[in-house]
Amino acid sequence: MYEFVSGPLVWIAFIVFIGGSLYRIYNMLSSSKKEKVVFPHMSLKHSVASLIHWTIPFNNQYMRQRPIFTIISFAFHICLIIAPIFLLAHVILWDESWNMSWLTIPDAVTDGMTIMVIIGCIFFLYRRLTDPVVQNVTDSSDYLLLAITALPFITGFIAYHQLFAYKAILIIHILAGEIMLIAIPFTRLSHMLFFVFTRAYFGSEQGHVKNSKDW
Amino acid sequence: MKPTIVKRDLVVDTALDQCAAKLTPEQIEKVVNEVIDNETGGRLQTYVNTCIHCGLCAEACQWYLSHDKDVSYAPVTKVKDTIWVLLEKKGKVDGAFIKRCSEIAHTECNVCRRCGMYCPFGIDIAYMMLVVRRICAKLEMVPLYLQDTVHSHAATMNQMWVKPDEWIDTLQWQEEEGQGYVPSARLPLEKEGAEIMYSVIGPEPKFLAQLLGNITVIMKVAGLDWTMPATAGWDNSNMAMYSGDFEIMARVERLHHETAQRLKVKKIVMGECGHAFRGAEYDGPTWMGWMKPPIPIVHAISFYYDLIKSGRIKIAKKAEGPITVQDPCNVVRNAGLGTQLRYIMNAVCEEFVDVTPNGRHNYCCNAGGGVINVGPPWKKKRVQGNRVKAEQMKRTGAHTIVTPCHNCHSGIEDIVDYYKLGMHVKFFSDILIEAMEIPEHLKPKEE
Amino acid sequence: MLKIESWDWESKEKMLADTAKWKDKFEDVWEPYISPDGEKIASIVKVGEGEFNIAVNEGTWEEPFEKIWYSRFSPDSRLTALITKDMEWTMAVDGKPWEQMYEYIWDTKFSDDGKVIAATTKLDSVYGITVNEKTLECPVNLESIASYAISSDGKTLAAIAQTLPLGQADLDGFLKGTWSVVVNGKPWKDNFVDIYGLAISNDGKNVAAEYRAAICEYGIVVNGKPWNEKFGCTWEPVFHPNNSNEITTPVRQAGQWFLATNGRIVWDKGFVSLLYQTYSPDGNNIAATVAPQFAKWTVAVNGQPWAATFNECLLQPCFSPDGRKVAVIAKDSGKWLLVVDGTVLGEGYDNIWQPVFSPGGDKVICKVEKNGKYAVAVNGKICGNTYEALWNPVVSPDGTRVMICGVEDGKYYRKVVPLSDI
């Protein structure tokens, strides 16, 4: 089982993730051409300006209005991306299989980051359950996406601390990671891919076409 | 997903009510899919697929805030209750649903684009509401008075059923009014090769003719070479853009720009209106295949900014007491004129009091986006839907609100009235005409 | 037709009026107009409080009026203007007002020979087209006239008119149709939702227009009979110059514009935009302003777009007399350009007026503006003097000379220059 999930399934997951992502982006770009104004309205300068502006915390009205949300959501997204990439155990796996390695972050830090991701998931779950606006637009898919996101981190945390059933948890952890990778291109987790594009377009339209700003 | 709980007072709009009863499911399905397949593309799909249902857009909307955070007014709810369903069911919905779509898109959203600035992804919810309006328009599901206004555009190429002779006659009358201030003032009609074509919106000749007298004086004092057309094409407003009848929108905008081309002017200067600027600068040209208008269009704010800054118009006596301003969404948030607006306000007011939030973050007046044009049946809802504006204005302690936009002007007047704010609402040119210096040689000779 | 041959093509230069003197003589002087033959220049002038006149060359009209506007010369060089007397309006021709007075009068138009002078009039709250002082009788009271067209010979006058009253916010009434076309006083049998883009064939026999069939449905109607083909949108129809049964129109289908003749799409390629379809003089070729892509404008001749595109806009293309060349005014990055067969000629200007070809087609002549001065440009290059005011140059019928009329230092000159010299 372990061999399967850590061998061929990893391949499949990464192929689906990368291939699927490329396909989704290609599909989005080509279907955007149907609307003749989209590309002529784009501007690199305003796209970059928008992206930089929106990736700095507290740089917008709503971020300042909602400090807790801002801190948690920034921390969540940063940790979500950084922790798995620079986790020592993951880099070792890459090194063993591909002879590739890169900088790692001390385990204590990645551990903290994992906790941060889990806190983020709990926070988002709490919002989904309590904020009337969010509640009103929440359906099962939103909970499922939250679960897909949380699971690799929860299991990773348990596995790292070897709290119980290490082998089984490890397999579930790998599986959960793979599910998440596969889900990214084909669910609304694809906001990870499209963020750059939607921001770039709105930034361009507000800045380049409408001579204003999108923040 | 559970349906949204919607509590609304009953509004009778005969056009919507009658049309909803007539619609067949086949008709609806055909039009929905036609619009989605032929008129939208990756942008709409990406917006829908990227929305992570976070609800952050809610805080941006004056409807939501003014209704004590009633979820049914949140921008994301408006998307959920319209386009999500239309896409998911591939247009298999009934007349009642389309009627609700029209109510949401035409009467509960000003397509002011404030929510776009609150979305972490920059999802342009107003664009999606315009797609909904487009579907509604093709199904004739447009509120009565808005549709009537669009018919006026279609038949007369102006917003107010103004006939060609009434237009010219009004200009000639207002030329005389202007001559009361400055005897040598002239409102030059059909002057080919002038530097500027001045264009206005339909309500000016119909209800606010003094604004045409004002501009006659201002142009003379500034010594500018200008003209106005004596043909259709004089009206820069465009409610077809807001009903979703884009063919009529394009016809109106095309005529407006071609009139400027025919008169061989260097630029069009337009009166104080926001949506008209949007239509003439952006939506109209985009539909026509122009990146920008073929003859540049200058909004009144920029025009007055240039005149005051360059000293072509000097201020003799600033307006007294605290005066505040309303930022029209379509020229501030969506055209970047907020700084220029503040410059001219400071130039003509002794005590300019700014609003909070201001500039491109300001709240919409709730009249824009065609919402005031849906007419009397919907007025109460519109005014109640902008309590935050009333509170914001009250906080300034000003006696007068300057609104460099016709929709804002009427919308803010209604708000002042309903919430008993006791403030005056004026156009910038009303203040300017009183404040500016009329050079000695232009003044009427003492008898 | 107008007898251009009979104009003075011999006098090299005539100074016909010193308009600078007008400014001393009158309280206010409006922008000048010239007669088509260039012999007269006229301006509306203010002669006193509520008193206006028209200065023509060295003189004025005999009688001043309370108000004067829309001074226009007819093709046979008579000066018309719209005037008020005792708060009523009428047309004055060479200073003599029509006997009939109106509540309002506007939109003066002429037949090609100038013998017919027409205008829209309003009398006792009824609208009409008035031709040489006589209002065309119409069996119904017209509620409004949006616009009208006159045939070359002046015998056919067609107006887009509202033939039925419409109540406030009466959507059903509107969609049943309140607009029609009134040809020489006779309304078409049926009403339509809207009518646009009125055209009269060169022989004056047929009248065509766009009509709106439903909210987003448009078609072409000829002599009151709508075609079966309907489109998402249309622009104004144009008649073949020699065949009044052939009508060409831009039509929109599935978000693209196509060119259609008699309702059938004839150019297989669709465009983002398609405007100003223009026939060559013999009718064998059609050019149109097109945008193959968003904000990339060019001319397509018989469906084939030029390679060069321009990023702002294009005006109406025009053919050389032999129909082989096409010229157009284009705007690119803020400058106006003269483009012939896809090649920019000369430099960019602040403004360019509609060009004319020399009879041989080798020279394209137009009025241009640069730094507030006007000049005649040949193949895009300025030739000769600059002027404070200038009118479109006219090529003589034999193609050997060009008449250039302009104002220099306040003096109005009419010059005739051999085409070979410029």
Side-chain angles (χ1 to χ4, degrees), chain B residues 310-431:
Chain B
S310 64
R312 286 191 90 119
I313 282 196
K314 293 184 178 65
I315 304 304
K317 188 179 176 306
K318 289 189 176 190
E320 289 169 7
I323 299 179
T324 189
V325 77
Q326 162 65 6
D327 293 283
C329 305
N330 282 319
V331 289
V332 174
R333 172 159 45 258
N334 300 321
L337 301 185
T339 313
Q340 292 186 358
L341 178 58
R342 276 152 188 82
Y343 179 90
I344 61 173
M345 287 302 295
N346 279 310
V348 300
C349 301
E350 249 179 9
E351 188 190 346
F352 166 60
V353 195
D354 213 337
V355 280
T356 321
N358 67 355
R360 63 180 184 277
H361 295 285
N362 204 339
Y363 301 120
C364 172
C365 65
N366 235 27
V371 173
I372 194 168
N373 300 72
V374 298
W378 305 93
K379 181 179 168 185
K380 193 172 154 205
K381 179 161 93 171
R382 163 169 59 83
V383 179
Q384 288 175 340
N386 211 1
R387 197 186 67 218
V388 289
K389 177 58 68 185
E391 291 162 358
Q392 179 201 34
M393 287 301 178
K394 201 169 181 182
R395 282 199 302 271
T396 64
H399 61 64
T400 297
I401 306 163
V402 169
T403 56
C405 164
H406 279 271
N407 280 320
C408 294
H409 191 272
S410 309
I412 298 283
E413 260 185 348
D414 289 340
I415 285 168
V416 165
D417 197 36
Y418 184 86
Y419 294 97
K420 304 199 171 30
L421 299 182
M423 299 162 105
H424 298 284
V425 184
K426 288 190 173 169
F427 288 103
F428 182 77
S429 80
D430 289 328
I431 304 268

Side-chain angles (χ1 to χ4, degrees), chain A:
Chain A
M1 190 64 184
Y2 177 80
E3 282 67 33
F4 179 67
V5 294
S6 64
L9 255 190
V10 176
W11 274 95
I12 292 169
F14 270 97
I15 288 168
V16 172
F17 167 59
I18 294 168
S21 298
L22 290 174
Y23 168 76
R24 286 300 302 275
I25 290 169
Y26 168 80
N27 202 27
M28 174 204 64
L29 293 175
S30 64
S31 63
S32 294
K33 271 192 197 145
K34 245 173 67 186
E35 247 184 303
K36 57 192 187 265
V37 302
V38 171
F39 288 99
H41 278 174
M42 296 293 281
S43 134
L44 184 65
K45 185 177 130 194
H46 294 97
S47 299
V48 172
S50 175
L51 282 164
I52 290 175
H53 196 95
W54 282 82
T55 40
I56 298 170
F58 295 104
N59 218 3
N60 297 288
Q61 281 226 331
Y62 92 78
M63 292 188 196
R64 286 190 287 268
Q65 273 172 20
R66 296 169 170 270
I68 295 170
F69 180 91
T70 302
I71 291 167
I72 295 181
S73 90
F74 265 90
F76 166 82
H77 282 98
I78 291 165
C79 295
L80 177 91
I81 294 167
I82 301 292
I85 296 177
F86 297 101
L87 179 78
L88 181 63
H90 286 178
V91 176
I92 289 171
L93 288 175
W94 281 91
D95 198 24
E96 282 173 356
S97 314
W98 293 90
N99 225 356
M100 281 165 69
S101 71
W102 52 81
L103 190 96
T104 57
I105 295 175
D107 278 357
V109 178
T110 44
D111 200 32
M113 290 174 114
T114 305
I115 294 167
M116 187 59 237
V117 172
I118 296 166
I119 291 171
C121 287
I122 294 165
F123 174 73
F124 292 137
L125 178 68
Y126 175 76
R127 278 192 85 234
R128 287 224 173 277
L129 292 169
T130 59
D131 185 314
V133 175
V134 187
Q135 222 177 22
N136 184 53
V137 290
T138 296
D139 65 11
S140 50
S141 74
D142 293 291
Y143 294 117
L144 188 65
L145 292 185
L146 214 45
I148 290 175
T149 312
L151 200 60
F153 292 87
I154 296 171
T155 52
F157 181 82
I158 298 170
Y160 171 70
H161 291 281
Q162 309 207 355
L163 294 179
F164 53 85
Y166 175 72
K167 196 82 184 178
I169 290 291
L170 189 64
I171 290 170
I172 296 170
H173 170 67
I174 297 169
L175 209 54
E178 287 158 352
I179 289 170
M180 185 172 172
L181 279 178
I182 291 170
I184 286 171
F186 300 107
T187 64
R188 275 182 293 107
L189 289 182
S190 61
H191 70 270
M192 169 187 149
L193 308 172
F194 293 140
F195 171 78
V196 176
F197 298 94
T198 53
R199 272 259 67 93
Y201 183 74
F202 199 61
S204 297
E205 197 174 308
Q206 285 303 88
H208 178 56
V209 184
K210 297 192 179 223
N211 204 22
S212 184
K213 293 186 177 84
D214 69 334
W215 58 82

